[in-house]
Amino acid sequence: MHSIDQRVRQVRRQIREAALAGGRDPQDVILLAVSKNHGVAQIRQAYAAGCRHFGESYVQEALPKIEQLAGEDMIWHFIGPIQSNKTQAIATHFQWVHSVERDKIAKRLNEQRPAGWPALNVCIQVNLSGESSKAGIGVQQVPQLAAQIGDYKQLRLRGLMTIARRGSELKEWQRTFATLRKTLQELNSSGLSLDTLSMGMSGDFQTAIAEGATFVRLGTGVFGPRE
Ligand SMILES: *Cc1c(COP(=O)(O)O)cnc(C)c1O
């Protein structure tokens, strides 16, 4: 049985090693601690171990935690599927949204992000696994959605997010993450300046780092198995 503190040290070491092995600066890879299904006490332990970025997938579950932890310098990332009736809460409680996949949702987030607040950082979620059950849009649809988001003053498009297929092989993970990186490079060649690749979870983050991940989203790796 490992403590959260031990787990954070361990994953930080692994992140560092994977970055160095890939010829990257370890500082360019941010650990996003995915705290879904874990309570405020555990989040505080991860915070004490140095985590500042936290990810949540369900609005209902996230809001009470975010409210209880208000005042701490935590940065909250929404990483789950987005229903229209939840955009208001997301636009007012989170600094980042990784899971934008429709213009309608982007438009609502833009309208509901309060005037005078810093722009909401957003990533477009891309489905590269070929599983129709998974969220995210196809690569071909990315430029159009990126252009639409570019018109929204209260949003700042930062990059792309993907979830690799579970239980797949190293080769397939590499292909998935490399495709996301190439898609980002193409957007940047067409005039955007995006800096974020949100890819890699507890089972595949080292591969994602080798392919250029800037956020790795770790739940189990930081907090242990979810109930
Ligand atoms: C739950 C979740 C994670 C973390 O998963 P682990 O395998 O526990 O690291 C990362 N990204 C998304 C989008 C998730 O929903």
Side-chain angles (χ1 to χ4, degrees), residues 34 36 57 79 161 163 166 201-202 217-220 226:
V34 177
K36 68 177 179 217
S57 300
I79 62 172
M161 181 273 234
I163 301 175
R166 273 199 193 267
M201 301 170 39
S202 298
R217 308 180 308 268
L218 304 192
T220 314
R226 286 183 287 278

Side-chain angles (χ1 to χ4, degrees), residues 14-31:
Q14 291 169 327
I15 289 169
R16 192 184 153 73
E17 281 163 12
L20 294 175
R24 303 186 53 203
D25 183 344
Q27 309 260 35
D28 292 342
V29 185
I30 299 174
L31 170 58

Side-chain angles (χ1 to χ4, degrees), residues 1-11 13:
M1 191 62 207
H2 296 285
S3 70
I4 289 174
D5 186 68
Q6 286 168 321
R7 284 207 180 84
V8 170
R9 283 168 201 270
Q10 159 91 350
V11 295
R13 201 158 41 233

Side-chain angles (χ1 to χ4, degrees), residues 25-50:
D25 183 344
Q27 309 260 35
D28 292 342
V29 185
I30 299 174
L31 170 58
L32 174 51
V34 177
S35 46
K36 68 177 179 217
N37 293 347
H38 298 286
V40 164
Q42 287 140 303
I43 297 171
R44 284 194 193 283
Q45 287 172 35
Y47 181 83

Side-chain angles (χ1 to χ4, degrees), residues 5 15-16 21 42 97 99 155 169 177 181-182 206 220:
D5 186 68
I15 289 169
R16 192 184 153 73
Q42 287 140 303
V97 180
S99 44
L155 303 185
E169 294 180 0
F177 298 138
R181 171 168 46 76
K182 273 185 233 135
Q206 284 131 316
T220 314

